[in-house]
């Protein structure tokens, strides 16, 4: 269990391992930040800046907090290339914005967001930055020392690991000031009738019996990806994306979403047939032995902004090939 924590610190180039917290999934990691940091440090009149690319996991917790505390949510849109509209983002980043919550990569379109600029601008505005790294961590190198965000969340199951394991990395300066998310065993130092004191990090945020088996199993997945090299993973997906976009350009009656630039797009392509609903496209492909995902991809605000009820999405990983793109 602790070996996995140490491996993750190396995998993420994190400054130490004590600020790596194990949760059930990226969703719980984001909720932990919303409850333990947001409830304590955000107040009525404050603002949270999101983007149109967010998965529901990085939207709903902030919506719930905003409803509870009288906080305003603002959403930065995408531009005509389905990339973040940086000019509008900068305009929305006012002194009232205390938190910027942003995905590193869109799960629906594959758009890679310019985190370096976002974090630099946000910190210059004295805003805290929470990054949803669930889509990016399995697909590209992550360097937390260089990234310099305040919170970073992701899940094991998206990177060849077991389900039921999430990770939250956070700067010590925040974790030390935050209240515990859950109370119970393991997260305490002393307990008396009069007073309870908290354990040191990371135990402060890991109440009760942890998911020992799956966290330990996650260690094998980290080693596997580390042996391949995340630069190699990213390079392979870029090659597949370039090839897939080329093949899609040969087809008529299709709309392809996303930047269509392999430098700004991860290994996912969303598309629609101009006359056939995405769900039907998925059903027909399934009968041919081709697995894609269809629907709103837990990103309904994004679908609304695109003006469609759903898209079909093909996504790539280390085990996919050009021949499978041809079959698609």
């Amino acid at each position: 269990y602790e070996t996995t924590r140490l491996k993750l610190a190396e995998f993420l180039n994190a400054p130490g391992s004590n600020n790596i917290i194990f949760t059930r999934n990226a969703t719980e990691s984001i909720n932990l930040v919303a409850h333990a940091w947001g409830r304590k440090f955000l107040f009525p009149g404050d603002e949270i800046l999101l983007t149109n690319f967010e998965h529901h996991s990085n939207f709903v917790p902030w919506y719930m907090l905003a409803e509870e505390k009288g906080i305003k949510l603002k959403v930065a849109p995408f531009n005509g290339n389905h990339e973040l509209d940086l000019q509008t983002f900068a305009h929305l980043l006012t002194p009232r914005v205390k938190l910027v919550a942003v995905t590193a990569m869109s799960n629906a379109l594959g758009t890679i967001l310019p985190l370096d600029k976002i974090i630099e601008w946000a910190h210059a505005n004295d805003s805290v930055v929470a990054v949803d790294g669930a889509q990016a961590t399995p697909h590209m190198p992550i360097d937390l020392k260089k990234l310099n965000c305040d919170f970073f969340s992701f899940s094991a199951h998206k990177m060849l690991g077991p389900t039921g394991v999430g990770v939250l990395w956070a700067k010590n300066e925040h974790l030390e000031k935050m209240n515990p998310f859950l109370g119970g065993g393991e997260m305490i130092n002393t307990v008396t009738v009069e007073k309870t004191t908290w354990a040191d990090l990371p135990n402060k945020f890991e109440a009760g019996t942890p998911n020992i088996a799956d966290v330990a199993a996650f260690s094998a997945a980290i080693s596997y990806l580390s042996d391949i090299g995340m630069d190699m993973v990213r390079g392979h997906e870029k090659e597949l994306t370039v090839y897939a976009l080329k093949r899609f350009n040969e087809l008529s009656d299709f709309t392809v979403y996303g930047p269509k630039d392999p430098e700004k797009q991860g290994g996912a392509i969303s598309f629609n047939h101009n006359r056939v609903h995405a769900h039907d496209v998925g059903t027909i492909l399934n009968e041919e032995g081709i697995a894609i995902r269809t629907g709103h991809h837990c990103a309904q605000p994004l679908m609304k902004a695109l003006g469609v009820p759903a898209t079909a999405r093909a996504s790539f990983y280390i085990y996919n090939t050009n021949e499978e793109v041809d079959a698609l």
Side-chain angles (χ1 to χ4, degrees), residues 5-6 8-10 12-20 144-145 169-170 172:
R5 204 189 307 271
L6 293 171
L8 277 172
E10 183 177 357
L12 301 167
N13 195 29
S17 62
N18 284 350
N19 48 354
I20 290 175
L144 289 178
K145 287 181 181 176
W169 175 88
N172 278 21

Side-chain angles (χ1 to χ4, degrees), residues 82-152:
H82 298 153
E83 301 166 26
L84 181 64
D85 185 336
L86 286 172
Q87 185 174 357
T88 304
F89 178 89
H91 177 72
L92 293 172
L93 188 61
T94 62
R96 285 186 176 271
V97 174
K98 303 304 180 186
L99 174 71
V100 174
V102 59
T103 185
M105 180 194 297
S106 167
N107 73 302
L109 302 185
T111 303
I112 298 170
L113 277 72
L115 289 182
D116 51 349
K117 290 181 181 178
I118 291 170
I119 294 169
E120 179 186 352
W121 294 353
H123 285 168
N125 192 58
D126 290 329
S127 305
V128 169
V129 183
V131 174
D132 174 5
Q135 315 305 327
T137 308
H139 299 285
M140 62 180 61
I142 299 295
D143 187 334
L144 289 178
K145 287 181 181 176
K146 182 179 177 181
L147 198 59
N148 193 34
C149 60
D150 298 277
F151 299 99
F152 190 88

Side-chain angles (χ1 to χ4, degrees), residues 6 17 27 30 73 78 111 156 162-163 188 202 222 226 236 304 307 326:
L6 293 171
S17 62
T27 301
I30 294 168
L73 293 184
F78 51 75
T111 303
T163 53
I188 54 85
I222 299 165
S226 297
H236 177 65
K304 183 177 181 181
D326 291 336

Side-chain angles (χ1 to χ4, degrees), residues 3 15 42 45 67 69 77 93 100 110 118 123 132 144 175 184 191 204 221 225 254 266 277 285 289 313 316:
T3 296
L42 296 179
E67 288 279 288
K69 300 207 66 175
L93 188 61
V100 174
I118 291 170
H123 285 168
D132 174 5
L144 289 178
L175 292 174
V191 177
K204 176 181 175 182
L225 288 173
F254 279 89
H277 193 284
L285 289 177
R313 184 195 68 194
F316 314 123

Side-chain angles (χ1 to χ4, degrees), residues 24-56:
R24 292 183 304 156
N25 40 54
T27 301
E28 184 173 286
S29 296
I30 294 168
N31 275 272
L32 190 161
V33 178
H35 282 263
W37 183 85
R39 278 181 165 174
K40 187 172 184 179
F41 294 106
L42 296 179
F43 303 96
D46 288 343
E47 296 177 350
I48 298 173
L49 180 55
L50 308 166
T51 76
N52 249 341
F53 295 105
E54 304 313 315
H55 188 282
H56 294 165

Side-chain angles (χ1 to χ4, degrees), residues 24 67 85 94 96 113 123 155 165 178 187 213 231 237 273 298:
R24 292 183 304 156
E67 288 279 288
D85 185 336
T94 62
R96 285 186 176 271
L113 277 72
H123 285 168
S155 293
V165 178
M178 288 159 55
M187 49 73 66
D231 286 322
E237 290 185 8
H273 190 281
C298 294

